Every structure is written in C-alpha cells, then in structure tokens.
Amino acid sequence: MAEIPYRFVTDSRVEELIAHHADLEAGQETDNVVTIAGRLMLRRVQGKLAFATLDDGSGRIQLFAPSKTTPEFDKFCDLNLGDWVGVTGVVMTTRRGELSVRVDSWVLLAEARRPFPDKWHGITDVDTRYRQRYVDLWVTPEARQTFLMRSRMMSLTRSFMEHRGFIEVETPIFHPIPGGANAQPFTTHHNALDLDLYLRVAPELYLKRLTVAGFDKVFEIGRVFRNEGLSTRHNPEFTMLELYQAYADYDDIMNLVEELVEHLALELTGSTVLMVGDRELDVARPWRRATMIELIEESIGVTLSLEMSIDELRAVAVEHGVPFKDSFGSGKLILEIYEKTTESALWGPVYVTEYPAEVSPLAREHRNKPGMTERFEAILAGRELCNAFSELVDPDQQRSRFEDQAAQNAGGDAEAMMVDEDYLRALEYGLPPTGGLGIGMDRLAMLLTGATSIRDVVLFPTLRPER
RNA sequence: GCGCCUCUAGCUCAAUUGGCAGAGCAUCGGACUCUUAAUCCGCAGGUUCCGGGUUCAAGUCCCGGGGGGCGUACCA
C-alpha cells in the first residue's frame, strides 16, 4: 500500500516550463531538474518505456518514463487516469520533439477510485457537469477557462473600485426587514433570539446607512438571495456589486458603469467587441442614453406620459396586448408597456433612463420631471445588467414611498417592500446627494465569457437534489 | 406553474417495423523502449430513470411519477 505523503513541495508550474523551453530542439536534455505535481490525464505504456500526460491546472506536459531510470516502473505503469502524482526529473525533449519531464522520482498523491469520463469526449451531459463540477473542471477546458476569467473579473473590479477611492465593506446577510429590491425573500430563524430573519435581497439600505455615516464612497460585492424562478438568467443566489458615491448623481454612475465594463472587456478579452451567442456586442464608450418614454415611442409609435389619464394608458396597454391589474397606477402601466413591447427588442449597450417613481421606491424624483425618477438600467445583449439611480435622500418622501409599498405588500404583492423605520431614522440624520448602483456580476461574467446560461458562470448552481 | 424535448455500462454513443441490449474509451489480465485520443489480444462490466399497462414478445408503444434542458410565466 503506497504511502500518501502529507506534503509535497513543487518548484514549477507546467505553464512556466512550456514558456521557458519553447525553443528546445528535439532530442535535447537540459540540466534543469524540476518538481511538479498534478493529475494524470493520458497514459501510453510501451513495454519498457512509458509516456503519460500530466495536468497541473496551468497546462499539460508529457512525462517520460524509461524502465531503466524510473523507480518502481511497474507501479508507475499501473497508475490510473485521474490519479494525482508528484514528479521530479530533468526537463527534456523526446526524439519527436515533445517537451517532457523525465520521471527520475515520483510519488502517488491521490488515487482516483472512480473512473474519469471519456478522455476524448469528456462530459456532455449538463446535469452531470453541474452536479459534479469537480470532474467537469478537470475535463472541460472551456469550463475551467470561464471560471478563471470570472475570478480575474472580480479581482479587476475590486482594483477598479479601489483606484477610484471606494472602500469595500461587508453588511449583514440576515435582515430583520428585507429591503433594497422588489423580490421575495428567503426566510430563516435564529433560535437564541427567537427571531425570524430574511436572507437579503439587496445590501442597498445598509450601504446607504454607511453613506449617512460619512463613508462617502463604499462598495460591497456579495451574495444576495431571491426566492423566485430559475432560468438561464436567474439563479436564486447570485453575486451583486453595489456601490454608493456621495455628491454624485445618476449621470456620474452611468459614466462609471461604462468605464468599468469597457475596462473589463479590454483586460479580459483584449477587445471591446464581445460575442454573445452568434451576435456581437460592442461595449466601447459612450453608450446610448435614452429615456424609457423615448424608447417606447420608437417601438410602438406612441408617446406616453404620466399626464395621460389612466384610461388612456390602459387603452394603449390593451391595444398592445399588455396585461395589467386595476391596482396599477400610471407609472406601473408605463413600466409594463415598456417591458412587454420594448425591452425584449433592445440589444444594447443602451441606458434606459427615467423610470416612474411609482415603481422606483428608493430613487430620487427627477429634477425637472415630476413623477419620474433619475433612474436607469443598462441593457447589454438584451439582458438587464444593472440598476442605478440618484438616491432618494428625503426622509419624508421615503416614508411615503415605503408606505405605498407596504400597502401593496399588504394587498398581496409578496415582492413589495416593508417600512424600515431604522432606515428612515438614518435618513433623518442626513444622506447627502448620492449616486448608487447595483450590477449583477453573474450576468457581467456571462457577457465577458460569452456564456448563454447563468449556470455556466456559477460554480455550483442551484439544482434539485439527486434521487 | 404550463408547453416542448430528453434520460441505455463509469464516460461518449448505437440498437431496423415491437423480435437474443451492443461498440469505442475507461477499468481488469496479457504483448510492446519515442508514444501523442499510442497500438494489438483477451476478460469483465446493465434495475435501458422509477412504477404500472398493452403484447407471444417492450430500450422501443400507452398511462402515471422522477431528474435534466429549452421556452414561457414569475422575477426590476
């Protein structure tokens, strides 16, 4: 029985070995002795000479094992695909010119007791790929690439924010009152406090409390939870970037978002032109900015306004097959008409600006247009990427918006907000003019990697349990 | 939630009209000192997602259930 060591120290990564020996000619042996470790992906035993392919996560390199010099040659030949091994030996090339590490000593680091998937076809069954991601990531190079890109995206985003003077904070995930978005929350319970709690649907209200506290540029990157349906664009837990910048308005935030996305595209793909499915999306600045009213007009040729009577708006809805409830006010009707007739046709990048206050309970009223707010969403590749606004800073107006929401909640709308008295108290201490933003980082990762399903950018997507 | 599609060996896939469940890879045994998805010979590997039904006979047809995908609804 082989002894599995507790520790194994490598001195090289395959990626580096390949880069440093690019011009080594066939049949050469260097005096460079290296130690590497990884997983056995292929094996070609030829009697008294064996070849194997080792993958250490950074790349693949051939192992060259002649019976004369390889310790325990027979056992080496008995290794299974998927086994982890550590190898020390000289860097060399074979007669055919394949860069290799000669196996001067080796040790088994882990045994693969289960057979690995077909070495050529890998796994195609998406169910298995999502459920057994630990296998998928080894055998599906595109999956590995996607998650490496996602990791770099998060890291680049953090440094982008920090270079602009933002500080990263962490706010509660357990909320006694869910808030910051219209979404159904998950519920849980704390035993010692005998307290019902909600998993947050957004960090928004806590972050603005921090702006009140004098942190003038804050951001948080964290998981939020929404108890709603699953789709190629929705996972019940997903990662949100939210930021709040004091003294800024929604125009400043639009500038920031397009700078961030352009920067990430260039760093990660080298181009501002992204491929989404078989369609291109150019995220180069500046992005188009158009109001919701303008976009609806382009789409259906009708200029809506909050001054129109509710009957006029309902008539437009009926004419275009947009369902509505009697409880909908003018603002909600306009939003519904936009979503059903216009939004799905947008490709972007485009900023959709000026949302009705009725459907924007945390956004500040437009400086020139009563009943509208200084809010925008960005549409990229036909998907909503972010939601942002000049923040509502007036505690009295906020209370009245909360009360409208609470009435809808009481009326059966499980996604409507509740009154958050502590948040109102915070506003009473003074929230300066502030621009705020929320970006779905999973959707951003989809854009940058070209993924068509959110499950392809979430390591362990929510699934029903097996059996 | 609704509609359509799908589920066969560890993996990738076959199986004619309803007629003995098969192949490649992996695993196991054997041969081979420059291979590249190595090759060659051999063994083994199955609750055909589950449960009913029709039939002389069901992987195949019918009904019910389950997993998954896509669409739709919901979801800023």
Side-chain angles (χ1 to χ4, degrees), chain A residues 8 13 28 98 104 108 112 121 155 196 221 249 268 293 313 322 327 361 365 374 399 408 431 436:
Chain A
F8 188 80
R13 305 207 76 202
Q28 298 293 301
E98 175 85 12
D104 296 331
L108 179 68
H121 296 99
S155 164
D196 287 331
I221 293 176
D249 66 9
L268 291 172
I293 296 293
L313 288 170
V322 178
S327 58
E365 188 166 51
E374 296 197 357
R399 176 177 295 281
Q408 289 174 37
L431 176 66

PDB file of all heavy atoms in Angstrom, chain A residues 8 13 28 98 104 108 112 121 155 196 221 249 268 293 313 322 327 361 365 374 399 408 431 436:
ATOM      1  N   PHE A   8       3.778  17.972  -0.237  1.00  0.00           N
ATOM      2  CA  PHE A   8       4.617  17.783  -1.417  1.00  0.00           C
ATOM      3  C   PHE A   8       4.941  19.164  -1.967  1.00  0.00           C
ATOM      4  O   PHE A   8       4.049  19.945  -2.280  1.00  0.00           O
ATOM      5  CB  PHE A   8       3.893  16.935  -2.470  1.00  0.00           C
ATOM      6  CG  PHE A   8       4.778  16.552  -3.622  1.00  0.00           C
ATOM      7  CD1 PHE A   8       5.677  15.491  -3.501  1.00  0.00           C
ATOM      8  CD2 PHE A   8       4.740  17.266  -4.815  1.00  0.00           C
ATOM      9  CE1 PHE A   8       6.502  15.143  -4.553  1.00  0.00           C
ATOM     10  CE2 PHE A   8       5.564  16.923  -5.870  1.00  0.00           C
ATOM     11  CZ  PHE A   8       6.453  15.858  -5.743  1.00  0.00           C
ATOM     12  N   ARG A  13       5.535  25.313 -12.358  1.00  0.00           N
ATOM     13  CA  ARG A  13       4.217  25.093 -12.937  1.00  0.00           C
ATOM     14  C   ARG A  13       4.412  24.763 -14.415  1.00  0.00           C
ATOM     15  O   ARG A  13       5.322  25.286 -15.068  1.00  0.00           O
ATOM     16  CB  ARG A  13       3.344  26.336 -12.808  1.00  0.00           C
ATOM     17  CG  ARG A  13       3.208  26.843 -11.377  1.00  0.00           C
ATOM     18  CD  ARG A  13       1.905  27.582 -11.214  1.00  0.00           C
ATOM     19  NE  ARG A  13       0.802  26.634 -11.124  1.00  0.00           N
ATOM     20  CZ  ARG A  13      -0.468  26.934 -11.402  1.00  0.00           C
ATOM     21  NH1 ARG A  13      -0.777  28.131 -11.828  1.00  0.00           N
ATOM     22  NH2 ARG A  13      -1.414  26.027 -11.279  1.00  0.00           N
ATOM     23  N   GLN A  28      16.779  16.830 -26.968  1.00  0.00           N
ATOM     24  CA  GLN A  28      17.648  17.567 -26.047  1.00  0.00           C
ATOM     25  C   GLN A  28      17.340  17.183 -24.594  1.00  0.00           C
ATOM     26  O   GLN A  28      16.211  16.859 -24.248  1.00  0.00           O
ATOM     27  CB  GLN A  28      17.426  19.079 -26.190  1.00  0.00           C
ATOM     28  CG  GLN A  28      17.763  19.633 -27.568  1.00  0.00           C
ATOM     29  CD  GLN A  28      19.249  19.557 -27.855  1.00  0.00           C
ATOM     30  OE1 GLN A  28      20.053  20.131 -27.130  1.00  0.00           O
ATOM     31  NE2 GLN A  28      19.611  18.826 -28.911  1.00  0.00           N
ATOM     32  N   GLU A  98       8.775  16.356 -28.332  1.00  0.00           N
ATOM     33  CA  GLU A  98       7.758  16.698 -27.325  1.00  0.00           C
ATOM     34  C   GLU A  98       8.440  17.072 -26.011  1.00  0.00           C
ATOM     35  O   GLU A  98       9.216  16.279 -25.459  1.00  0.00           O
ATOM     36  CB  GLU A  98       6.837  15.492 -27.127  1.00  0.00           C
ATOM     37  CG  GLU A  98       5.808  15.667 -26.039  1.00  0.00           C
ATOM     38  CD  GLU A  98       4.552  16.370 -26.515  1.00  0.00           C
ATOM     39  OE1 GLU A  98       4.389  16.527 -27.741  1.00  0.00           O
ATOM     40  OE2 GLU A  98       3.747  16.764 -25.661  1.00  0.00           O
ATOM     41  N   ASP A 104      12.430  10.941 -12.770  1.00  0.00           N
ATOM     42  CA  ASP A 104      13.567  10.436 -12.004  1.00  0.00           C
ATOM     43  C   ASP A 104      13.128   9.993 -10.617  1.00  0.00           C
ATOM     44  O   ASP A 104      13.750   9.131 -10.001  1.00  0.00           O
ATOM     45  CB  ASP A 104      14.652  11.505 -11.927  1.00  0.00           C
ATOM     46  CG  ASP A 104      15.216  11.821 -13.313  1.00  0.00           C
ATOM     47  OD1 ASP A 104      15.209  10.914 -14.174  1.00  0.00           O
ATOM     48  OD2 ASP A 104      15.620  12.969 -13.546  1.00  0.00           O
ATOM     49  N   LEU A 108       2.828   8.879  -5.532  1.00  0.00           N
ATOM     50  CA  LEU A 108       1.375   8.960  -5.686  1.00  0.00           C
ATOM     51  C   LEU A 108       0.820   9.924  -4.638  1.00  0.00           C
ATOM     52  O   LEU A 108       1.101   9.793  -3.454  1.00  0.00           O
ATOM     53  CB  LEU A 108       0.754   7.568  -5.499  1.00  0.00           C
ATOM     54  CG  LEU A 108      -0.769   7.491  -5.605  1.00  0.00           C
ATOM     55  CD1 LEU A 108      -1.234   7.762  -7.027  1.00  0.00           C
ATOM     56  CD2 LEU A 108      -1.286   6.132  -5.128  1.00  0.00           C
ATOM     57  N   ALA A 112      -7.426   7.984  -7.913  1.00  0.00           N
ATOM     58  CA  ALA A 112      -8.776   8.184  -8.459  1.00  0.00           C
ATOM     59  C   ALA A 112      -9.482   6.841  -8.427  1.00  0.00           C
ATOM     60  O   ALA A 112      -9.220   5.973  -9.235  1.00  0.00           O
ATOM     61  CB  ALA A 112      -8.698   8.727  -9.883  1.00  0.00           C
ATOM     62  N   HIS A 121     -13.989  12.609 -25.245  1.00  0.00           N
ATOM     63  CA  HIS A 121     -15.264  13.330 -25.310  1.00  0.00           C
ATOM     64  C   HIS A 121     -15.573  14.121 -24.044  1.00  0.00           C
ATOM     65  O   HIS A 121     -16.351  15.053 -24.083  1.00  0.00           O
ATOM     66  CB  HIS A 121     -16.409  12.352 -25.573  1.00  0.00           C
ATOM     67  CG  HIS A 121     -16.300  11.667 -26.899  1.00  0.00           C
ATOM     68  ND1 HIS A 121     -15.798  10.386 -27.044  1.00  0.00           N
ATOM     69  CD2 HIS A 121     -16.584  12.086 -28.148  1.00  0.00           C
ATOM     70  CE1 HIS A 121     -15.804  10.051 -28.320  1.00  0.00           C
ATOM     71  NE2 HIS A 121     -16.272  11.064 -29.018  1.00  0.00           N
ATOM     72  N   SER A 155     -11.442  40.284  -9.430  1.00  0.00           N
ATOM     73  CA  SER A 155     -10.237  40.946  -8.946  1.00  0.00           C
ATOM     74  C   SER A 155     -10.041  42.306  -9.633  1.00  0.00           C
ATOM     75  O   SER A 155      -9.735  43.315  -8.989  1.00  0.00           O
ATOM     76  CB  SER A 155      -9.067  39.991  -9.201  1.00  0.00           C
ATOM     77  OG  SER A 155      -7.864  40.659  -9.118  1.00  0.00           O
ATOM     78  N   ASP A 196     -37.338  35.677  13.579  1.00  0.00           N
ATOM     79  CA  ASP A 196     -37.410  35.403  12.144  1.00  0.00           C
ATOM     80  C   ASP A 196     -36.518  36.381  11.405  1.00  0.00           C
ATOM     81  O   ASP A 196     -36.532  37.585  11.693  1.00  0.00           O
ATOM     82  CB  ASP A 196     -38.852  35.549  11.637  1.00  0.00           C
ATOM     83  CG  ASP A 196     -39.714  34.387  12.095  1.00  0.00           C
ATOM     84  OD1 ASP A 196     -39.169  33.289  12.281  1.00  0.00           O
ATOM     85  OD2 ASP A 196     -40.927  34.590  12.280  1.00  0.00           O
ATOM     86  N   ILE A 221     -19.349  43.623  -2.600  1.00  0.00           N
ATOM     87  CA  ILE A 221     -19.578  42.547  -3.556  1.00  0.00           C
ATOM     88  C   ILE A 221     -20.019  41.357  -2.741  1.00  0.00           C
ATOM     89  O   ILE A 221     -19.285  40.893  -1.873  1.00  0.00           O
ATOM     90  CB  ILE A 221     -18.296  42.202  -4.340  1.00  0.00           C
ATOM     91  CG1 ILE A 221     -17.913  43.372  -5.248  1.00  0.00           C
ATOM     92  CG2 ILE A 221     -18.509  40.941  -5.178  1.00  0.00           C
ATOM     93  CD1 ILE A 221     -16.609  43.162  -6.000  1.00  0.00           C
ATOM     94  N   ASP A 249     -24.554  61.995  -8.983  1.00  0.00           N
ATOM     95  CA  ASP A 249     -25.909  61.687  -9.420  1.00  0.00           C
ATOM     96  C   ASP A 249     -25.862  60.550 -10.432  1.00  0.00           C
ATOM     97  O   ASP A 249     -24.816  59.962 -10.680  1.00  0.00           O
ATOM     98  CB  ASP A 249     -26.599  62.924 -10.002  1.00  0.00           C
ATOM     99  CG  ASP A 249     -25.943  63.404 -11.292  1.00  0.00           C
ATOM    100  OD1 ASP A 249     -25.076  62.689 -11.828  1.00  0.00           O
ATOM    101  OD2 ASP A 249     -26.298  64.501 -11.759  1.00  0.00           O
ATOM    102  N   LEU A 268      -9.860  41.501 -20.179  1.00  0.00           N
ATOM    103  CA  LEU A 268     -10.128  40.053 -20.179  1.00  0.00           C
ATOM    104  C   LEU A 268     -10.142  39.456 -21.574  1.00  0.00           C
ATOM    105  O   LEU A 268      -9.832  38.282 -21.755  1.00  0.00           O
ATOM    106  CB  LEU A 268     -11.461  39.762 -19.488  1.00  0.00           C
ATOM    107  CG  LEU A 268     -11.460  40.016 -17.983  1.00  0.00           C
ATOM    108  CD1 LEU A 268     -12.875  39.898 -17.425  1.00  0.00           C
ATOM    109  CD2 LEU A 268     -10.544  39.028 -17.272  1.00  0.00           C
ATOM    110  N   ILE A 293     -39.579  56.588 -22.047  1.00  0.00           N
ATOM    111  CA  ILE A 293     -40.651  57.131 -22.896  1.00  0.00           C
ATOM    112  C   ILE A 293     -40.208  57.183 -24.362  1.00  0.00           C
ATOM    113  O   ILE A 293     -40.951  56.790 -25.265  1.00  0.00           O
ATOM    114  CB  ILE A 293     -41.033  58.551 -22.411  1.00  0.00           C
ATOM    115  CG1 ILE A 293     -41.623  58.489 -20.992  1.00  0.00           C
ATOM    116  CG2 ILE A 293     -41.989  59.221 -23.384  1.00  0.00           C
ATOM    117  CD1 ILE A 293     -42.952  57.794 -20.882  1.00  0.00           C
ATOM    118  N   LEU A 313     -53.907  55.294 -20.795  1.00  0.00           N
ATOM    119  CA  LEU A 313     -52.794  54.359 -20.678  1.00  0.00           C
ATOM    120  C   LEU A 313     -53.287  52.914 -20.765  1.00  0.00           C
ATOM    121  O   LEU A 313     -52.666  52.062 -21.408  1.00  0.00           O
ATOM    122  CB  LEU A 313     -52.038  54.579 -19.358  1.00  0.00           C
ATOM    123  CG  LEU A 313     -51.200  55.866 -19.315  1.00  0.00           C
ATOM    124  CD1 LEU A 313     -50.697  56.128 -17.891  1.00  0.00           C
ATOM    125  CD2 LEU A 313     -50.027  55.767 -20.275  1.00  0.00           C
ATOM    126  N   VAL A 322     -50.876  44.058 -23.526  1.00  0.00           N
ATOM    127  CA  VAL A 322     -50.128  44.068 -22.270  1.00  0.00           C
ATOM    128  C   VAL A 322     -51.108  43.880 -21.110  1.00  0.00           C
ATOM    129  O   VAL A 322     -51.978  44.720 -20.896  1.00  0.00           O
ATOM    130  CB  VAL A 322     -49.368  45.396 -22.094  1.00  0.00           C
ATOM    131  CG1 VAL A 322     -48.630  45.408 -20.755  1.00  0.00           C
ATOM    132  CG2 VAL A 322     -48.420  45.616 -23.254  1.00  0.00           C
ATOM    133  N   SER A 327     -55.084  47.662  -9.946  1.00  0.00           N
ATOM    134  CA  SER A 327     -54.318  48.397  -8.942  1.00  0.00           C
ATOM    135  C   SER A 327     -53.157  49.173  -9.554  1.00  0.00           C
ATOM    136  O   SER A 327     -52.572  50.033  -8.899  1.00  0.00           O
ATOM    137  CB  SER A 327     -53.770  47.401  -7.904  1.00  0.00           C
ATOM    138  OG  SER A 327     -52.961  46.432  -8.543  1.00  0.00           O
ATOM    139  N   PRO A 361     -39.167  52.917  -5.633  1.00  0.00           N
ATOM    140  CA  PRO A 361     -39.401  53.474  -4.300  1.00  0.00           C
ATOM    141  C   PRO A 361     -38.159  54.018  -3.599  1.00  0.00           C
ATOM    142  O   PRO A 361     -38.298  54.690  -2.579  1.00  0.00           O
ATOM    143  CB  PRO A 361     -39.978  52.283  -3.527  1.00  0.00           C
ATOM    144  CG  PRO A 361     -39.584  51.075  -4.296  1.00  0.00           C
ATOM    145  CD  PRO A 361     -39.503  51.501  -5.726  1.00  0.00           C
ATOM    146  N   GLU A 365     -36.747  61.725  -7.148  1.00  0.00           N
ATOM    147  CA  GLU A 365     -37.559  62.286  -8.227  1.00  0.00           C
ATOM    148  C   GLU A 365     -36.680  63.100  -9.176  1.00  0.00           C
ATOM    149  O   GLU A 365     -35.716  63.753  -8.760  1.00  0.00           O
ATOM    150  CB  GLU A 365     -38.655  63.186  -7.646  1.00  0.00           C
ATOM    151  CG  GLU A 365     -39.662  63.643  -8.676  1.00  0.00           C
ATOM    152  CD  GLU A 365     -40.899  64.232  -8.019  1.00  0.00           C
ATOM    153  OE1 GLU A 365     -40.740  65.114  -7.144  1.00  0.00           O
ATOM    154  OE2 GLU A 365     -42.025  63.812  -8.370  1.00  0.00           O
ATOM    155  N   GLU A 374     -34.730  59.791 -11.369  1.00  0.00           N
ATOM    156  CA  GLU A 374     -33.420  59.748 -12.018  1.00  0.00           C
ATOM    157  C   GLU A 374     -32.851  58.352 -11.843  1.00  0.00           C
ATOM    158  O   GLU A 374     -31.982  58.109 -11.007  1.00  0.00           O
ATOM    159  CB  GLU A 374     -32.493  60.814 -11.429  1.00  0.00           C
ATOM    160  CG  GLU A 374     -32.998  62.218 -11.689  1.00  0.00           C
ATOM    161  CD  GLU A 374     -31.934  63.284 -11.496  1.00  0.00           C
ATOM    162  OE1 GLU A 374     -30.799  62.937 -11.096  1.00  0.00           O
ATOM    163  OE2 GLU A 374     -32.247  64.464 -11.738  1.00  0.00           O
ATOM    164  N   ARG A 399     -40.527  57.892   3.448  1.00  0.00           N
ATOM    165  CA  ARG A 399     -41.571  57.268   4.265  1.00  0.00           C
ATOM    166  C   ARG A 399     -42.833  57.061   3.440  1.00  0.00           C
ATOM    167  O   ARG A 399     -43.444  55.991   3.462  1.00  0.00           O
ATOM    168  CB  ARG A 399     -41.889  58.131   5.493  1.00  0.00           C
ATOM    169  CG  ARG A 399     -43.037  57.580   6.337  1.00  0.00           C
ATOM    170  CD  ARG A 399     -43.288  58.394   7.586  1.00  0.00           C
ATOM    171  NE  ARG A 399     -42.166  58.355   8.529  1.00  0.00           N
ATOM    172  CZ  ARG A 399     -41.916  57.339   9.365  1.00  0.00           C
ATOM    173  NH1 ARG A 399     -42.709  56.276   9.374  1.00  0.00           N
ATOM    174  NH2 ARG A 399     -40.897  57.382  10.177  1.00  0.00           N
ATOM    175  N   GLN A 408     -49.091  47.841  -0.868  1.00  0.00           N
ATOM    176  CA  GLN A 408     -49.114  46.818  -1.912  1.00  0.00           C
ATOM    177  C   GLN A 408     -48.774  45.454  -1.328  1.00  0.00           C
ATOM    178  O   GLN A 408     -49.342  44.437  -1.716  1.00  0.00           O
ATOM    179  CB  GLN A 408     -48.100  47.158  -3.017  1.00  0.00           C
ATOM    180  CG  GLN A 408     -48.508  48.352  -3.867  1.00  0.00           C
ATOM    181  CD  GLN A 408     -47.423  48.745  -4.854  1.00  0.00           C
ATOM    182  OE1 GLN A 408     -46.736  47.891  -5.396  1.00  0.00           O
ATOM    183  NE2 GLN A 408     -47.258  50.045  -5.075  1.00  0.00           N
ATOM    184  N   LEU A 431     -28.708  62.182   4.536  1.00  0.00           N
ATOM    185  CA  LEU A 431     -27.996  61.494   3.458  1.00  0.00           C
ATOM    186  C   LEU A 431     -27.689  62.540   2.400  1.00  0.00           C
ATOM    187  O   LEU A 431     -28.605  63.163   1.865  1.00  0.00           O
ATOM    188  CB  LEU A 431     -28.877  60.375   2.867  1.00  0.00           C
ATOM    189  CG  LEU A 431     -28.315  59.609   1.660  1.00  0.00           C
ATOM    190  CD1 LEU A 431     -27.074  58.801   2.033  1.00  0.00           C
ATOM    191  CD2 LEU A 431     -29.381  58.670   1.063  1.00  0.00           C
ATOM    192  N   GLY A 436     -26.144  55.728  -6.683  1.00  0.00           N
ATOM    193  CA  GLY A 436     -25.986  54.328  -6.274  1.00  0.00           C
ATOM    194  C   GLY A 436     -26.190  53.401  -7.452  1.00  0.00           C
ATOM    195  O   GLY A 436     -26.835  53.752  -8.437  1.00  0.00           O
TER     196      GLY A 436
END
